[in-house]
């Protein structure tokens, strides 16, 4: 009986994994099809436009965490977080140059 | 001024000054792949007679040039960073150096119509985006390559990509990423 239950659970997990993989595959295919259909002149600056939207979402999140903060404090915190990500990504790649 | 407008202004100023440049990095991979958010634009510039301090000053008060030059370890390329204060967007200006691939990449650059820049802009080819991102090979670079191959893989000059991948020792990685992209 226990063995049967375990097998059922295993089958369910396999089915769920297959289903999740199918959904992920379909989402990816849609993403690729959309990107193919987008005009190149729109795509070049899209990264900068998306960044503005991401920043707004980040600021909304910070405001929700710290409702008493001023707009300026929220901007400073948002930029601090972005700078921290940048430092991590650039670690070991860039080194300062001595102008002399 | 928004981030895309801040970038368009820099490109416009490079065009007006007849300065040799090309857009590389995430913006160029967005062009051939799946657009994603990026907080910076990478622009390679011919520094023959180019004064980066005067250039930055000419952009106006919203821009600030970071006086600390940085050098990139893979190719020895010197980088200057321009901050657009209101938007938080940065424009990184790379001095075109002697790296053989960068030299060829610059010679293969192409024109793209960009209405926001009041005309056209110089951009990297799709092949050169793949070659450069294979060298960097950070997690986000690998994702960009897979997306780019999935979107534009049929149009790539694979002979050219394979040649540079062999020179840079990235052929195995390229094979894996092509398989992941189904190409």
């Amino acid at each position: 009986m226990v063995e049967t239950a375990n097998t059922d659970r295993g089958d369910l997990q396999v089915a769920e994994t297959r289903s999740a993989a199918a959904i992920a595959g379909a989402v990816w295919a849609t993403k690729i099809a959309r990107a193919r259909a987008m005009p190149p002149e729109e795509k070049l600056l899209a990264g900068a436009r998306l960044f503005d939207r991401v920043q707004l979402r980040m600021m909304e999140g910070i405001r929700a965490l710290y409702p008493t903060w001023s707009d300026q404090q929220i901007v400073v915190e948002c930029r601090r977080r972005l700078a921290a990500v940048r430092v991590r990504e650039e670690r070991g790649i860039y080194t300062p140059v001595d102008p002399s | 001024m928004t981030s895309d407008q801040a970038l368009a202004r820099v490109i416009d100023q490079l065009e007006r000054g007849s300065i040799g440049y090309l857009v590389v990095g995430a913006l160029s991979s967005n062009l051939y792949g799946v657009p994603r958010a990026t907080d910076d634009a990478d622009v390679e510039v011919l520094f023959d007679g180019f004064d980066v301090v005067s250039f930055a000053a000419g952009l106006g008060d919203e821009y600030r040039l970071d006086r600390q030059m940085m050098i990139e370890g893979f190719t020895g390329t010197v980088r200057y960073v321009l901050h657009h204060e209101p938007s938080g967007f940065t424009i990184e200006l790379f001095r075109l150096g002697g790296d053989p691939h960068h030299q060829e990449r610059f010679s293969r650059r192409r024109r793209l119509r960009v209405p926001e820049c009041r005309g056209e802009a110089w951009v990297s080819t799709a092949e050169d985006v793949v070659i450069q991102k294979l060298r960097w090979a950070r997690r986000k670079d690998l994702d960009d390559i897979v997306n780019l191959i999935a979107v534009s893989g049929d149009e790539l000059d694979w002979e050219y990509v394979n040649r540079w991948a062999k020179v840079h020792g990235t052929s195995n990685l390229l094979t894996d990423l092509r398989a992941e992209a189904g190409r």
Side-chain angles (χ1 to χ4, degrees), chain A residues 73-89:
Chain A
Q73 282 175 302
I74 289 167
V75 169
V76 168
E77 174 60 12
C78 182
R79 300 277 162 86
R80 187 195 66 75
R81 292 180 185 195
L82 288 168
V85 172
R86 175 179 284 266
V87 166
R88 180 178 55 76
E89 286 183 348

Side-chain angles (χ1 to χ4, degrees), chain A residues 45 48-49 52, chain B residues 1-11 63 84 116:
Chain A
L45 300 181
R49 291 191 191 106
D52 286 346
Chain B
M1 197 187 288
T2 55
S3 295
D4 59 331
Q5 290 168 337
L7 170 61
R9 173 151 174 66
V10 171
I11 292 174
Y63 294 82
H84 181 249
E116 291 86 346

